[in-house]
Amino acid sequence: MIAYCGQPKLGFHRIQDNIGGHLAPFFSYSDFMIRIYSYLFALLLSLPAYSQTYPDYTELYVNDFADLLNIIQEQAIREDLMELREKRGIEFTVVTVKLMSDYGHFGEIEPFATGLFNYWGIGDALKNDGVMMLVSRYDRKMRIEVGSGYGNNLNAPMKRIIDRTITPIFKNDEYAQGIASGVEAVIYELVGEYPGEIDGSTSQKIRGFLSRALTALKWAIWPIAAGILGLATWLYRRRLRYKKRRCPIDGTKMQLLAEHWDDQHLKDGERIEEDLKSVDYDVWLCPKCEHLTIEAYKAWFTPYSACRSCGFKTLEGTTTVLSSATTSSTGLKRIDYDCHNCSEQYSIKKVIPRVSQSSSSSGGGSSFGGGSSSGGGASGSW
Ligand SMILES: [Zn+2]
Ligand SMILES: [Zn+2]
């Protein structure tokens, strides 16, 4: 087949030979053309297979090509995988890619996973006990591929972990959390102990159990606690803001002017700030001496910043990414500022920091053991 690509004439002759051999009695021009077309079509379909490549690994534990993990998350997962390797000798590796088509692969994840597993040679060469978790972010497909030493024993447990532990979290695009929980579940399935507790003492295991329970509880309780805290803060600020004031001159109780009445006491810039909701103004009036107190309340979350020319919080910035940052180079973005109050207008360019990728070479050995997979494991999508 490869020869056909390079030397089309050779292929053409072989087709003619075939037709001459098999179809000689029925040979017609249209038959011949159909053959040619179906042959070309088959060739076209098979072309991507020739250009398929696999990424090379940069380390044995986490190869986050899709940048789904930050340094801290990546290190936590790496430590779990290192512990498994050091204490049980099992090579378990996590790989993320953006798209399988980036490597010339189209279609299902199974052949790609098996191919990558064997290309890297994950696991012990004799025991074939390696494990690989592969996540293809934009294909929204994943697979846990296991070495041939496990036979079919792990297929059902891995499927259960994918369906119950990992993909429900991936559905919310929370990849770091999904991968971390999945790694923990797979390690427990493999050795019957949780990461951080392999060969640990009983007290260590109790501590681990409590911390896991606490984590689960935290996930459930945190949103409620944050809600209560937010509401309390809001009520407190509201109370301070609308509490009765006395005139600093004659001590009379002041009145808070309604929104449409306070506008005439505000400057143009302040009115625009109110329109943009970047600052809210309260105007208090003393009914006796007409003394005015103007109080400004800055919005907590606003896209507007203070203008360097007029000083009002009416400056809007629009960011355009000129070049994205990669792991090897910084990127560049342009921010165009435009003031809604004055004529101030300017642009600045800012460097986007390089995407960090920690390089860890610790953990004994810098290459996989040469294990292979015959396609065992399980897949899922979200
Ligand atoms: Zn007064
Ligand atoms: Zn301005």
Side-chain angles (χ1 to χ4, degrees):
M1 287 286 266
I2 293 169
Y4 294 6
C5 298
Q7 298 163 282
K9 277 208 161 151
L10 185 69
F12 189 75
H13 286 302
R14 280 193 52 187
I15 293 166
Q16 273 192 317
D17 289 345
N18 279 343
I19 290 164
H22 298 301
L23 296 172
F26 312 103
F27 180 79
S28 72
Y29 181 71
S30 62
D31 277 346
F32 177 69
M33 286 314 286
I34 288 169
R35 286 242 143 193
I36 290 283
Y37 279 122
S38 61
Y39 173 77
L40 285 175
F41 187 64
L43 185 72
L44 206 67
L45 278 184
S46 62
L47 270 179
Y50 291 113
S51 52
Q52 174 164 345
T53 54
Y54 293 109
D56 286 312
Y57 56 86
T58 55
E59 64 155 82
L60 300 184
Y61 303 102
V62 184
N63 283 278
D64 183 23
F65 300 120
D67 287 321
L68 302 180
L69 309 166
N70 66 34
I71 297 175
I72 296 163
Q73 295 161 337
E74 192 174 312
Q75 185 56 26
I77 293 167
R78 182 181 294 114
E79 275 165 17
D80 290 352
L81 299 172
M82 280 170 68
E83 184 192 13
L84 181 71
R85 189 174 188 217
E86 279 158 15
K87 294 195 173 157
R88 290 293 182 273
I90 297 173
E91 292 178 3
F92 177 6
T93 192
V94 170
V95 197
T96 74
V97 297
K98 287 191 169 100
L99 279 169
M100 290 183 283
S101 59
D102 291 347
Y103 305 97
H105 179 83
F106 298 85
E108 292 310 310
I109 196 169
E110 288 81 9
F112 185 74
T114 310
L116 181 62
F117 189 105
N118 291 330
Y119 177 68
W120 286 4
I122 301 160
D124 183 83
L126 295 174
K127 290 189 269 182
N128 289 310
D129 56 353
V131 177
M132 177 182 77
M133 182 184 291
L134 170 68
V135 177
S136 185
R137 163 77 174 82
Y138 295 104
D139 292 312
R140 301 189 85 86
K141 285 177 184 164
M142 71 161 296
R143 180 163 180 82
I144 301 173
E145 181 86 8
V146 301
S148 55
Y150 297 106
N152 288 324
N153 296 340
L154 287 180
N155 296 6
M158 292 306 131
K159 183 67 184 155
R160 196 191 65 233
I161 290 170
I162 289 171
D163 289 348
R164 292 194 198 161
T165 306
I166 304 175
T167 52
I169 304 175
F170 279 5
K171 279 198 174 87
N172 302 325
D173 286 329
E174 286 175 16
Y175 295 98
Q177 175 65 21
I179 292 169
S181 304
V183 163
E184 186 179 271
V186 171
I187 291 175
Y188 186 77
E189 185 64 39
L190 291 173
V191 300
E193 286 172 292
Y194 286 103
E197 300 165 23
I198 298 178
D199 294 338
S201 62
T202 310
S203 70
Q204 240 176 337
K205 289 185 182 187
I206 291 170
R207 269 206 304 279
F209 171 79
L210 288 176
S211 95
R212 272 190 305 281
L214 218 68
T215 306
L217 209 65
K218 193 179 76 188
W219 282 107
I221 283 177
W222 174 237
I224 302 168
I228 293 170
L229 197 74
L231 185 71
T233 312
W234 182 76
L235 284 172
Y236 176 70
R237 283 168 60 105
R238 213 178 118 86
R239 214 180 93 87
L240 279 188
R241 178 168 173 175
Y242 296 114
K243 143 183 125 181
K244 290 279 173 281
R245 286 148 172 72
R246 291 201 175 266
C247 173
I249 295 159
D250 50 33
T252 312
K253 257 190 190 175
M254 297 179 89
Q255 290 169 348
L256 176 64
L257 295 187
E259 284 291 312
H260 58 279
W261 279 113
D262 70 15
D263 276 5
Q264 55 180 311
H265 303 291
L266 298 178
K267 296 177 192 141
D268 286 347
E270 292 170 340
R271 269 201 291 276
I272 294 169
E273 284 176 327
E274 282 216 314
D275 286 345
L276 298 173
K277 297 191 189 331
S278 60
V279 184
D280 197 15
Y281 290 94
D282 283 351
V283 181
W284 294 83
L285 174 74
C286 171
K288 196 169 167 190
C289 73
E290 296 196 332
H291 173 80
L292 282 175
T293 311
I294 297 177
E295 292 174 2
Y297 294 91
K298 286 179 185 163
W300 282 7
F301 304 104
T302 171
Y304 301 97
S305 49
C307 173
R308 65 181 184 184
S309 175
C310 66
F312 290 105
K313 243 186 145 183
T314 49
L315 192 71
E316 186 173 12
T318 316
T319 303
T320 312
V321 175
L322 301 174
S323 63
S324 301
T326 66
T327 50
S328 57
S329 65
T330 54
L332 196 64
K333 62 183 172 185
R334 192 188 67 227
I335 308 172
D336 300 309
Y337 287 106
D338 196 358
C339 182
H340 286 252
N341 179 50
C342 69
S343 57
E344 182 72 351
Q345 212 172 23
Y346 61 99
S347 298
I348 59 161
K349 283 182 180 169
K350 262 192 176 171
V351 171
I352 308 171
R354 220 155 53 88
V355 180
S356 57
Q357 196 176 52
S358 53
S359 54
S360 165
S361 54
S362 55
S366 56
S367 62
F368 288 110
S372 66
S373 165
S374 46
S379 311
S381 55
W382 61 96

